[in-house]
Amino acid sequence: MFKSSKSGNGKINPDTTDTLIGEGTIFEGKIKSEASIRIEGSIIGDIMSSGDVIVGENGVANSNIIARDLVLAGQLNGDVEARGKLTICASGVLNGNITAQSLIIESGGVFNGSSKMAASPAPAAQSQKELKATS
């Protein structure tokens, strides 16, 4: 009856959207998910996702969010830690501090807070090895 988002090895694919907070829904509490989360309604509480978090145009999140990537088309009041890319769409409003590897703010998007760009650990580690090899 329901499709399984698990792959053959028993792990959940973080590229699939497993959780949807629909328009007209108000959710209070913490969410922790191995897959991606889409918010079209309202949420009050922290969000941790191994996948992506998408806040739709009508979505409102009063949350601190930790995710792989974040796409913000609605409103977010809280801090963000994106291991990858944070995109604030033209209709997006972010009131809070961010840490991300990549930040994209489309024309019309609003960001009130401070940002910190996290360096990717893989290239830095590789360049350290290359320096040692050439010494």
Side-chain angles (χ1 to χ4, degrees), residues 60-64 75-79 93-96:
V60 177
N62 294 305
S63 311
N64 293 319
Q75 183 169 346
L76 171 61
N77 300 306
D79 297 339
V93 177
L94 192 152
N95 297 305

Side-chain angles (χ1 to χ4, degrees), residues 76-90:
L76 171 61
N77 300 306
D79 297 339
V80 175
E81 183 181 322
R83 292 180 297 278
K85 179 171 54 172
L86 168 59
T87 304
I88 302 174
C89 299

Side-chain angles (χ1 to χ4, degrees), residues 26-32 42-47 62-63:
I26 299 172
F27 178 88
E28 292 185 36
K30 294 182 180 182
I31 295 179
K32 185 175 181 181
S42 180
I43 181 167
I44 302 167
D46 294 344
I47 301 168
N62 294 305
S63 311

Side-chain angles (χ1 to χ4, degrees), residues 2 4 6 8 22 29-30 33 52 56 61 74 77 80 84 91 100 112 126 133 135:
F2 296 103
S4 174
K6 291 186 178 182
K30 294 182 180 182
S33 176
D52 302 338
N77 300 306
V80 175
S91 58
N112 296 308
Q126 187 173 1
S135 299

Side-chain angles (χ1 to χ4, degrees), residues 17-23 25 36-41 54:
T17 298
D18 188 50
T19 304
L20 170 67
I21 307 297
E23 193 171 348
T25 300
S36 295
I37 300 169
R38 184 174 185 94
I39 301 161
E40 295 292 341
I54 301 160

